[in-house]
Amino acid sequence: MDWNWQVIFDHIPDLLGGAVLTVQLVVVSGIIGLFLGLVLALLRLSKSWLVQIIPFLYIFFFRGTPLLVQIFLIYYGLGQFEAVRDSFLWEPVLSQAYWCAIIAFTMNTSAYLAEIIRGAIQTIPVGELEAADAIGMSKWQKLTRITLPRAFGIVIPAYSNEVIFMLKGSALASTIALMDITGVARTISARTYTLMELFFAAGIVYLLLSWVILFVFGRFEKRMNRHTSYVPPDVVTRTIP
C-alpha cells in the first residue's frame, strides 16, 4: 500500500475547519448539559419519590440507549409528527441538523452528568454540612457556598472524562450530514480514495483536542482543589531556658 502524505497536508485546513464545528458541538452541549445535569441531580436527591421519578426515567433512558439512536430519533423521528412540523421551533431549530445534534448531545451528556454530580454531592463529608447548619446558614446559602463548590471540586476529573467521551461521540454528527472532523474526512476520502490517510489525520486532530481538554481541566482542577495541596508554614520552635 502506498501511503500518500501529500493528501494529508493538502487537506489539513479542511480538517481544522471541521474541528471548529466539533468544538462548537462539544462546548455548547457540554455547558448546557452541565446545568441540566445539575438540575436533574438535585431533583434525584429529593426525599420525595414523586420528584425523583421523572429525572430517574430521563436518566435511565438516555444512559440506556445508544447516542446514535437518540440522534436519529430527534433528527428523523420528530419530523414524523405534524404537530412538531407546525410548531414555531420546527424551522429555526428542529429542522436543522446542527441544532438536532446539539439537543441529542446535551440530553445524553446531562444524563451522565446528573449521576456524576449526584455522586459527588453524596460524598461531601457530613461534618461540613453540619458545620454550615451550626452557624445558621440557610438551605440556599449551604447549597451555593458549601455543597456546590465542594461537589464541583470532586466532580472535575469525572467531568473531564465525560467531555472526552462527548468529543469522541461527536463523530456521530456526521451521520446527519454535519461536516465535523469525521464528516470532512469521510467526504474527502470518498473523493480521493485515501481512506487510511484521511482518517489517520482525523485521529490526530481528535488526539490534539483531547490533550487540550485534559490540560485545561487539569489546570482548573488544580485551581479548584488547591486547598488539598496546602502546605502550612514551618513552625519555629523556641527552647525555653
Side-chain angles (χ1 to χ4, degrees):
M1 183 184 71
D2 294 328
W3 188 269
N4 189 347
W5 287 103
Q6 189 59 44
V7 72
I8 297 177
F9 298 138
D10 290 343
H11 294 289
I12 283 179
D14 299 318
L15 291 172
L16 294 179
V20 173
L21 178 58
T22 295
V23 171
Q24 287 179 359
L25 293 173
V26 173
V27 171
V28 174
S29 57
I31 293 174
I32 301 175
L34 177 61
F35 286 102
L36 181 57
L38 174 59
V39 173
L40 292 170
L42 295 176
L43 292 176
R44 286 277 285 123
L45 291 170
S46 173
K47 295 179 181 179
S48 172
W49 70 270
L50 290 174
V51 177
Q52 291 185 29
I53 188 64
I54 293 178
F56 172 79
L57 293 175
Y58 176 98
I59 293 169
F60 179 76
F61 176 80
F62 283 100
R63 292 179 68 196
T65 56
L67 177 57
L68 182 61
V69 171
Q70 297 164 20
I71 293 173
F72 284 173
L73 285 175
I74 293 173
Y75 183 64
Y76 296 112
L78 291 180
Q80 304 299 315
F81 299 97
E82 186 176 351
V84 175
R85 295 196 303 271
D86 293 337
S87 68
F88 69 96
L89 290 175
W90 174 252
E91 191 62 33
V93 178
L94 298 178
S95 65
Q96 306 297 321
Y98 175 83
W99 290 112
C100 287
I102 290 289
I103 293 171
F105 294 155
T106 298
M107 299 179 80
N108 181 270
T109 192
S110 65
Y112 286 94
L113 288 175
E115 290 299 282
I116 293 173
I117 295 172
R118 183 174 69 90
I121 291 175
Q122 290 177 329
T123 59
I124 297 174
V126 177
E128 296 183 14
L129 302 177
E130 291 176 344
D133 293 330
I135 63 176
M137 281 190 178
S138 65
K139 290 184 178 181
W140 177 253
Q141 288 175 326
K142 185 169 66 173
L143 177 67
T144 56
R145 298 183 183 181
I146 305 296
T147 305
L148 292 185
R150 289 288 284 117
F152 280 119
I154 297 170
V155 86
I156 291 173
Y159 182 43
S160 65
N161 288 336
E162 175 59 25
V163 174
I164 295 294
F165 290 144
M166 189 162 44
L167 172 66
K168 294 186 290 185
S170 68
L172 295 175
S174 63
T175 60
I176 53 175
L178 284 177
M179 296 299 287
D180 64 332
I181 298 173
T182 303
V184 170
R186 186 164 59 180
T187 301
I188 297 174
S189 64
R191 188 173 66 244
T192 60
Y193 301 101
T194 53
L195 185 144
M196 289 291 292
E197 292 88 337
L198 265 299
F199 278 97
F200 170 80
I204 296 299
V205 176
Y206 279 114
L207 281 175
L208 292 175
L209 290 177
S210 298
W211 179 84
V212 171
I213 291 171
L214 291 174
F215 176 80
V216 170
F217 272 97
R219 299 291 294 180
F220 184 59
E221 180 184 4
K222 186 176 181 180
R223 171 84 177 166
M224 286 290 294
N225 296 328
R226 58 189 180 277
H227 61 280
T228 60
S229 58
Y230 171 73
V231 178
D234 294 335
V235 178
V236 179
T237 58
R238 291 185 179 182
T239 303
I240 301 177

